[in-house]
């Protein structure tokens, strides 16, 4: 049937009352808004997001740190959960996930134990004599460059410098300069380079970081915007300003497109609010509020949100390790359900439960997500009426599962009939497509 023609064969008369000039005038009046939307809310960058960040004090970082964390994580598994049944019983995994999760966790610890590593020059390093920190920064640059050259680096690596507060500002700037200069001298800035600015309280401190990175780019003829950075949210003022506005939203804009992530600092933020040490945790109501504000502020901007950490370490006798594992597993699963897809890990023995939680999250929902997306893509209908926004979420879920190793590309293609490129198309639709009607 032709357009405007019903099954009876009758053609409808289409009439309008407005001239094209009205639509043109409205479009012209909204052109600044269109540009503002594109600038402020470009959407997710579509790149891989690591499931965790590992922090290592700068003086403890060595060429073997990544492999050492993997080996220590494997040793913890061998000592306290040598088989799938023991691991599953500890974490409460269902029988059908016990073997797949255990097998994938062990494979991950052999292949890629750390997804994101931050060499810490802040709290984990402390105040040192300037010559000592200078040398440590230069050494970190050399080791990172060598790791990327040898293929032994984590996918993402970088440093956490000291903050922009007056007492340590000059030291932080110098350390960053030494580290970046050393990387350039050793062959260039790696694609996985990540920089972290801690204890940000005012947007002006973000602006200062932007100026610092611009100056470095100009000094070396680097493309504008080559250097980005994460903002750590560790103070109450970073969430709520004195005028009642959400400071973190202003920080994202102050970064002028350079902000890549917002990382929640569990213990600094909790202490700032007066939460007692025994109750400082990532599931405290104060933490939930802060991360919810961060999440809303970052939505659509391309800036990703990361959860914090637990300081309960899986060490000691098996019963104690299992208690710590259950806590870490539960906090990680809780974060994933709230769309915090990244968190901090403080100890090598945290890594098994990080990956177990992530893999269980993606594997237990894989079949349903794949079926729903396949039905949507094929306009097949079903018992759930999915919309474009839901298709985006389903594709994003599958892509995250692929990136971390929870899912294999072959099984995703088999279950959905979609290539990775097709998944990426659903996960990152052009502006306006999410408002289209569902098929």
């Amino acid at each position: 049937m032709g357009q405007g023609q019903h099954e009876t064969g009758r053609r409808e008369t289409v009439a309008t009352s407005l001239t094209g000039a009205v639509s043109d005038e409205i479009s012209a009046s909204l052109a600044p808004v269109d540009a503002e939307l594109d600038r402020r809310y470009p959407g997710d960058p579509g790149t891989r997001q690591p499931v965790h960040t590992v922090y290592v004090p700068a003086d403890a970082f060595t060429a073997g740190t990544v492999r050492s964390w993997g080996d220590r994580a494997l040793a913890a598994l061998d000592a306290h959960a040598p088989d799938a049944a023991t691991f599953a019983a500890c974490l409460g995994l269902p029988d059908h996930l016990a073997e797949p999760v255990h097998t994938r966790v062990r494979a991950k610890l052999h292949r890629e134990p750390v997804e994101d590593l931050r060499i810490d020059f802040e709290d984990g390093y402390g105040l040192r004599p300037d010559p000592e920190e200078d040398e440590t920064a230069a050494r970190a640059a050399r080791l990172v460059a060598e790791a990327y050259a040898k293929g032994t680096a984590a996918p993402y690596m970088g440093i956490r410098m000291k903050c922009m507060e007056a007492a340590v500002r000059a030291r932080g700037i110098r350390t960053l300069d030494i580290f970046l200069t050393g990387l350039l001298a050793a062959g260039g800035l790696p694609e996985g380079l990540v920089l972290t600015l801690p204890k940000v309280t005012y947007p002006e401190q973000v602006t200062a970081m932007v100026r610092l990175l611009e100056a470095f780019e100009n000094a070396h003829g680097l493309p504008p915007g080559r250097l980005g950075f994460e903002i750590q949210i560790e103070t109450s003022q970073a969430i709520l300003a004195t005028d009642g506005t959400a400071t973190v939203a202003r920080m994202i804009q102050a970064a002028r497109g350079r902000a890549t992530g917002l990382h929640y600092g569990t213990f600094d933020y909790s202490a700032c609010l007066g939460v007692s040490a025994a109750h400082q945790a990532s599931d405290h109501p104060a933490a939930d509020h802060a991360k919810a504000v961060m999440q809303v502020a970052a939505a659509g901007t391309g800036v990703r949100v990361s959860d914090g950490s637990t300081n309960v370490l899986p060490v000691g006798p098996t019963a104690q390790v299992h208690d710590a594992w259950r806590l870490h597993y539960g906090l990680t699963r809780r974060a994933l359900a709230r769309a915090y897809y990244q968190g901090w890990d403080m100890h090598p023995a945290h890594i098994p439960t990080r990956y177990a939680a992530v893999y269980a999250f993606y594997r237990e929902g894989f079949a349903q997500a794949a079926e729903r997306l396949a039905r949507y893509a094929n306009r097949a209908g079903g018992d759930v009426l999915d919309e474009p926004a839901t298709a985006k979420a389903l594709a994003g879920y599958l892509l995250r599962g692929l990136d971390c190793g929870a899912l294999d590309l072959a099984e995703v293609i088999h279950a959905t009939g979609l290539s990775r490129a097709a998944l990426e198309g659903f996960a990152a639709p052009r502006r306006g497509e999410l408002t289209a009607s569902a098929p």
Side-chain angles (χ1 to χ4, degrees):
M1 288 180 293
Q3 185 176 5
Q5 188 175 4
H6 294 288
E7 57 274 8
T8 61
R10 177 181 175 179
R11 299 185 63 85
E12 297 291 340
T13 300
V14 178
T16 63
S17 301
L18 303 177
T19 66
V22 175
S23 178
D24 292 342
E25 181 183 351
I26 290 174
S27 293
S29 70
L30 289 176
V33 173
D34 295 338
E36 189 79 346
L37 281 170
D38 287 338
R39 183 177 71 84
R40 292 185 182 273
Y41 300 102
D44 189 87
T47 55
R48 175 183 179 182
Q49 181 181 9
V51 302
H52 70 169
T53 300
V54 164
Y55 277 73
V56 177
D59 57 327
F61 176 67
T62 71
T65 291
V66 171
R67 186 62 263 153
S68 172
W69 274 61
D71 291 343
R72 292 167 66 188
L74 284 164
L77 263 184
D78 290 340
H80 305 292
D83 53 64
T86 303
F87 200 40
C90 169
L91 304 180
L93 293 173
D95 291 344
H96 72 281
L97 286 180
E99 190 63 44
V101 167
H102 188 261
T103 299
R104 285 175 184 270
V105 168
R106 290 195 65 89
K108 179 76 167 181
L109 295 178
H110 282 289
R111 181 183 74 253
E112 187 183 76
V114 176
E115 291 197 356
D116 183 28
L117 186 144
R118 206 70 70 251
I119 304 164
D120 190 14
F121 284 89
E122 203 229 357
D123 286 348
Y125 183 73
L127 298 176
R128 308 289 182 97
D130 283 339
E132 181 178 346
E133 184 159 340
D134 284 353
E135 185 174 353
T136 305
R139 174 176 167 273
R142 175 177 59 80
L143 292 176
V144 168
E146 289 176 358
Y148 275 105
K150 295 176 180 178
T152 58
Y156 299 91
M157 295 182 76
I159 67 167
R160 177 169 73 166
M161 60 189 280
K162 290 179 171 63
C163 69
M164 284 291 179
E165 293 178 357
V168 294
R169 182 184 305 138
R171 180 62 261 180
I173 291 172
R174 180 173 174 83
T175 296
L176 181 63
D177 185 10
I178 292 171
F179 178 72
L180 293 176
T181 301
L183 284 178
L184 284 177
L189 303 179
E191 287 301 315
L193 175 66
V194 187
L195 307 174
T196 305
L197 179 66
K199 293 183 175 61
V200 184
T201 304
Y202 284 85
E204 289 81 0
Q205 293 168 327
V206 174
T207 300
M209 184 68 167
V210 170
R211 290 174 179 166
L212 174 59
L213 297 181
E214 286 177 341
F216 189 88
E217 288 168 352
N218 291 336
H220 293 277
L222 297 173
R226 169 63 181 86
L227 294 167
F229 62 100
E230 302 165 335
I231 301 170
Q232 278 201 278
I233 305 301
E234 301 176 90
T235 66
S236 61
Q237 297 92 341
I239 295 297
L240 192 67
T242 55
D243 62 359
T245 60
T247 315
V248 64
R250 294 167 55 206
M251 289 176 179
I252 291 172
Q253 298 309 314
R256 298 196 310 210
R258 292 180 185 265
T260 58
L262 301 174
H263 283 226
Y264 175 68
T266 303
F267 304 104
D268 282 285
Y269 187 86
S270 299
C272 182
L273 268 62
V275 179
S276 62
H279 297 281
Q280 292 178 358
S282 62
D283 59 351
H284 189 280
D288 284 342
H289 171 260
K291 287 179 286 189
V293 173
M294 291 162 59
Q295 189 175 47
V296 174
T301 65
V303 178
R304 285 149 166 182
V305 175
S306 173
D307 198 3
S309 61
T310 175
N311 60 359
V312 179
L313 304 183
V315 297
T318 294
Q320 186 172 324
V321 170
H322 282 193
D323 285 342
W325 272 353
R326 279 188 287 270
L327 174 65
H328 185 241
Y329 178 88
L331 290 173
T332 303
R333 287 300 306 261
R334 184 180 189 273
L336 290 167
R338 287 158 174 76
Y340 308 133
Y341 298 112
Q342 185 176 354
W344 296 11
D345 287 329
M346 307 287 284
H347 189 276
H350 277 141
I351 301 182
T353 39
R354 169 69 62 181
Y355 290 131
V358 171
Y359 289 177
F361 177 75
Y362 289 111
R363 292 214 64 81
E364 70 185 18
F366 165 56
Q368 183 184 57
E371 180 183 4
R372 286 176 65 180
L373 186 59
R375 286 183 174 276
Y376 180 90
N378 294 319
R379 300 177 179 266
D383 58 353
V384 179
L385 181 61
D386 285 326
E387 298 186 357
T390 307
K392 175 182 179 179
L394 291 168
Y397 174 88
L398 296 174
L399 287 168
R400 288 180 182 277
L402 286 169
D403 285 343
C404 70
L407 306 175
D408 299 323
L409 184 57
E411 66 178 337
V412 172
I413 292 174
H414 177 76
T416 63
L418 301 171
S419 66
R420 178 165 183 126
L423 291 174
E424 291 170 348
F426 280 114
R430 295 185 297 274
R431 183 176 300 283
E433 290 182 351
L434 289 183
T435 60
S437 60

